Amino acid sequence: KEKVEITKEQQALMKIITDAYNRHQIPQDVAKKLLQDQYSAEENFLLLTEMATSQVQVLVEFTKNIPGFLSLDREDQIALLKGSAVEAMFLRSAQVFSRKMPSGHTEVLEERIRKSGISEEFITPMFNFYKSIGELHMVQEEQALLTTVTILTPDRPYVKDQQAVERLQETMLDVLRKLCVLQHPQEPQYFARLLGRLTELRTLSHYHTEMLASWRMNDHKFTPLLCEIWDV
Ligand SMILES: COc1ccc(-c2nc3ccccc3n2[C@H](C(=O)Nc2c(C)cccc2C)C2CCCCC2)c(OC)c1
């Protein structure tokens, strides 16, 4: 049985990533807001665009703490951010949805999201993804590393030096693999399951433009930053 051991450097890397991930959380907690009041489709859309806009700003700050990210070609840094922003948003939403909440709160939150204004056809794939993330019971280090692995996807559009991104991603994948073995010794397939969620995440993210266009209201307004990131 191969002895899995996280090296000192990998330990340090994990701490940097996890601290940055926890530091760069969205200021106001949208789940609390949603549990307090029922909002109209218009108010929910505005809340969504505000959350997504601040999430992109948070993502930029977070990537500055990924060792090696700032050494990448500057245009490649932008391509990675643009290519991963929607996936990072759904990953963050899944983690917010899967958080331990007082009994009954998750059901209220789910109901509020179902009635938020999003069109029916996207609700099932979205909650299937949220629940499949929840079932993994990821520790915060795994959540932080999974987001980092998502950002460091070499085959995003317009990335020029894919090898440089691949090298960074492999470094993160090696730490994540070891962490999964150590955190979930009973489940040798855990790491593979975790990576399988990234495929589900990419599929879900393909819908996001339609999700927004079909939001039950007229005249969808976006911030300039979202127009850049969301191709709307
Ligand atoms: C593109 O279509 C989407 C994307 C995300 C959600 C979403 N799933 C959530 C799960 C838990 C909590 C809130 C959740 N959100 C929204 C949210 O803000 N996500 C969020 C963002 C955007 C950034 C950072 C962090 C988060 C959580 C609420 C926005 C206001 C209406 C209700 C959904 C969504 O729900 C219909 C549709």
Side-chain angles (χ1 to χ4, degrees):
K1 192 149 166 24
E2 163 230 5
K3 174 99 185 64
V4 164
E5 197 183 312
I6 292 184
T7 67
K8 281 263 163 293
E9 298 80 25
Q10 289 179 320
Q11 197 79 39
L13 181 68
M14 198 159 53
K15 183 163 175 18
I16 291 167
I17 298 275
T18 307
D19 291 350
Y21 189 73
N22 291 335
R23 222 177 25 252
H24 296 120
Q25 294 262 12
I26 306 273
Q28 93 275 7
D29 187 334
V30 67
K32 218 176 262 113
K33 264 179 112 136
L34 290 168
L35 288 165
Q36 262 152 10
D37 298 311
Q38 176 92 26
Y39 297 101
S40 69
E42 285 75 11
E43 287 164 331
N44 278 322
F45 193 80
L46 181 64
L47 188 52
L48 172 65
T49 52
E50 284 166 357
M51 287 299 294
T53 301
S54 58
Q55 161 77 9
V56 172
Q57 290 153 348
V58 153
L59 199 69
V60 172
E61 287 316 305
F62 172 63
T63 55
K64 289 177 181 168
N65 299 276
I66 299 173
F69 187 85
L70 294 178
S71 321
L72 293 170
D73 173 282
R74 286 198 64 71
E75 284 169 4
D76 285 354
Q77 292 177 34
I78 306 286
L80 293 178
L81 275 163
K82 183 165 164 39
S84 64
V86 171
E87 290 177 20
M89 173 189 74
F90 278 119
L91 205 44
R92 177 66 80 180
S93 296
Q95 284 154 4
V96 167
F97 186 76
S98 318
R99 240 186 249 159
K100 188 91 194 80
M101 279 187 267
S103 77
H105 284 216
T106 302
E107 290 70 18
V108 170
L109 181 60
E110 175 160 351
E111 197 45 33
R112 291 277 158 87
I113 294 168
R114 284 179 182 281
K115 300 262 180 298
S116 59
I118 187 166
S119 77
E120 283 297 307
E121 66 197 290
F122 302 116
I123 288 177
T124 307
M126 200 173 78
F127 278 110
N128 286 347
F129 175 68
Y130 290 174
K131 288 175 180 156
S132 69
I133 287 288
E135 281 158 13
L136 290 168
H137 301 295
M138 278 189 268
V139 297
Q140 56 176 3
E141 291 81 356
E142 287 166 337
Q143 292 186 10
L145 281 166
L146 193 64
T147 297
T148 306
V149 163
T150 303
I151 293 164
L152 297 173
T153 300
D155 62 344
R156 296 294 186 197
Y158 316 112
V159 170
K160 296 172 291 189
D161 188 352
Q162 294 202 3
Q163 275 74 20
V165 181
E166 212 155 334
R167 271 195 299 278
L168 282 185
Q169 192 191 45
E170 269 155 24
T171 306
M172 302 299 163
L173 281 167
D174 191 41
V175 187
L176 183 54
R177 180 181 56 76
K178 290 182 175 179
L179 185 65
C180 288
V181 170
L182 295 171
Q183 288 287 341
H184 310 269
Q186 320 307 334
E187 246 200 292
Q189 291 317 314
Y190 184 88
F191 178 59
R193 273 178 68 205
L194 201 50
L195 295 189
R197 295 293 167 264
L198 293 187
T199 311
E200 223 182 311
L201 177 59
R202 197 176 284 210
T203 309
L204 181 67
S205 301
H206 284 321
Y207 298 137
H208 95 277
T209 318
E210 287 166 72
M211 275 184 181
L212 300 163
S214 63
W215 203 274
R216 276 199 310 284
M217 61 185 251
N218 323 314
D219 181 24
H220 305 83
K221 287 195 197 68
F222 302 94
T223 60
L225 182 55
L226 284 188
C227 291
E228 278 294 307
I229 292 281
W230 275 0
D231 298 329
V232 284

